[in-house]
Structures are given as structure tokens and as C-alpha cells.
Amino acid sequence: MYLTVGGFSFYNLLEHYLINSGNDKKLMYNRISLTHNLSAIFFIMLYFNKPENLFLSDLAVGNTLGFFINDSLRYIKLNRYRFSDIVFIYHHIATSIYIYNKRYNLNSYWAPMLFWAEISNIPSQLVYYYIQKKRLNGNMYHSNLVLAKKIQLYFYGLIRTFILSYYLFKEYTVIGIDKNLVMTTPLIFLGYIWTYIMYKSDQIASKKNNV
């Protein structure tokens, strides 16, 4: 639990530091999210090396729970109640409950699922970064954004559709119909939907470029 508090404190302090530094807010949260992606991957790789080490599992989980708590509070403070905000909060809660309760189960696939989920999110951070840079600087970053979206489609789509689906299936064969696992299952389907939306968007963009 203390590592979760530490994770939350780190991301909260980072947020306030970047705000006080005069950073653009949207780019600031992009940097915080990317920091979590990379740190989560690093801590899980440490855990893979010694899965029996309880401190390493707590470190990996505490880092992610700390980020999710801080990020959820941000959405709550916005007080918008948009569908996308509610989905993000649900994602954070469901994932937090799942990985926290499975972190000591050596038969569980919580770590590979979190590892690949974070890897799949990195291209999305790149896309968001170029969207915001384009917002601030006009069409200067248009070609970078087009390339980033292509990378996002294939990277995110392949990982979410095949790799995470595989680990979810394996988790059900090991854990069974577990309430914590069931809570996270809709997130897989949201990944399918988002992949389809990106694919259709890519097809539309390709047709426009060919006209």
C-alpha cells in the first residue's frame, strides 16, 4: 500500500511541477502518461526477472495504481461527466482492482497483460503529442501525425486484438470466472472498437489522399 501512496505522490508532484513550469496543460498530461507507460514497462521487466519477489510486484502495481488514482482525480475534478471520461475512470478502477488482487498470484497473467497494454499505449501518446503540437503550431506537424497514426493503428491494433486477447483467454483458463477478471473484460472489447475506429479513419484518410 505504501508504494501506491508513493506512486500517487510522485505523479501528483510531477503534475504540479509541470503546471508551475508553465507547460501547455494537454502536453503536460501527455508527458505524465508517457512517464507512466515507460516506468510501468521498466518495473514489470524487473518483476519478470524475479516474479517471486513481492517487493517487485508491489513496486510495479504501486506505480500503476498511483498513476491511475492521480489520473482519475483529474477527470473527477473536470466535472464534465463525458462518456470518454467515465470510460477512463472505469478502466482505471477495474484494472487497479484486478492487478492489486492478482499481484502475488504466480499463475496469473496480470503482469504480461499490463506489460503489453502499456507498450500498446506508447504510439497513442505519440499521436496525442502531434495532435497538440499541430494545435499549437498549425500544419507544421501534419506529416508526423499521419505517420504516428499509422504506427498507432498497427501497433495498438495487433497487440490489443491478438496478444491481449490471448492472455485474457489464458487468464480465464487459470483463474476461472473471477469477478475481478470479469470487470476488466469489457476493456478488451473497447480495444477492439477503438481499433476498428482507427482502421475506418485510416481508410477514409487514404481515400482522400488518393483523390
Side-chain angles (χ1 to χ4, degrees), residues 25 27-28 40 52 82 87 91 115 125 182 185 187 203:
K25 273 197 171 185
L27 283 173
M28 177 195 73
E52 72 284 351
R82 296 194 316 194
V87 168
H91 166 274
F115 176 79
Q125 304 298 350
V182 170
T185 302
L187 304 178
Q203 292 296 301

Side-chain angles (χ1 to χ4, degrees), residues 31-98:
R31 292 190 184 104
I32 294 172
S33 294
L34 182 60
T35 299
H36 170 252
N37 294 148
L38 297 176
S39 62
I41 291 167
F42 175 73
F43 289 141
I44 296 168
M45 287 176 69
L46 292 179
Y47 168 79
F48 283 154
N49 191 47
K50 290 186 176 181
E52 72 284 351
N53 189 311
L54 301 184
F55 174 77
L56 292 179
S57 63
D58 281 341
L59 181 62
V61 170
N63 174 62
T64 291
L65 263 62
F67 170 75
F68 283 168
I69 292 169
N70 189 64
D71 204 46
S72 296
L73 289 174
R74 174 171 70 93
Y75 284 111
I76 292 169
K77 284 186 286 187
L78 289 172
N79 199 30
R80 295 181 304 193
Y81 300 105
R82 296 194 316 194
F83 177 73
S84 59
D85 294 352
I86 294 170
V87 168
F88 273 116
I89 292 171
Y90 176 82
H91 166 274
H92 291 351
I93 293 173
T95 304
S96 296
I97 293 172
Y98 166 65

Side-chain angles (χ1 to χ4, degrees), residues 113-209:
M113 292 175 75
L114 183 59
F115 176 79
W116 284 106
E118 294 304 334
I119 287 180
S120 74
N121 284 335
I122 291 177
S124 299
Q125 304 298 350
L126 189 62
V127 168
Y128 189 80
Y129 171 78
Y130 283 123
I131 287 173
Q132 301 311 321
K133 293 296 282 186
K134 188 177 177 183
R135 171 178 62 86
L136 296 170
N137 300 283
N139 286 326
M140 184 176 172
Y141 292 89
H142 178 72
S143 59
N144 303 71
L145 178 58
V146 170
L147 177 60
K149 284 184 175 181
K150 282 282 187 184
I151 296 171
Q152 180 193 33
L153 170 61
Y154 293 110
F155 219 74
Y156 181 95
L158 288 172
I159 291 175
R160 295 281 173 158
T161 304
F162 296 103
I163 297 178
L164 284 180
S165 296
Y166 167 76
Y167 280 117
L168 180 66
F169 172 77
K170 293 286 287 182
E171 187 76 337
Y172 269 111
T173 61
V174 171
I175 304 298
I177 308 298
D178 176 88
K179 63 181 180 180
N180 298 320
L181 181 58
V182 170
M183 283 181 65
T184 64
T185 302
L187 304 178
I188 289 287
F189 292 98
L190 286 173
Y192 298 158
I193 293 169
W194 180 234
T195 299
Y196 177 75
I197 290 171
M198 288 191 294
Y199 172 75
K200 294 299 291 185
S201 178
D202 180 70
Q203 292 296 301
I204 292 169
S206 297
K207 286 179 181 178
K208 284 183 178 179
N209 291 333

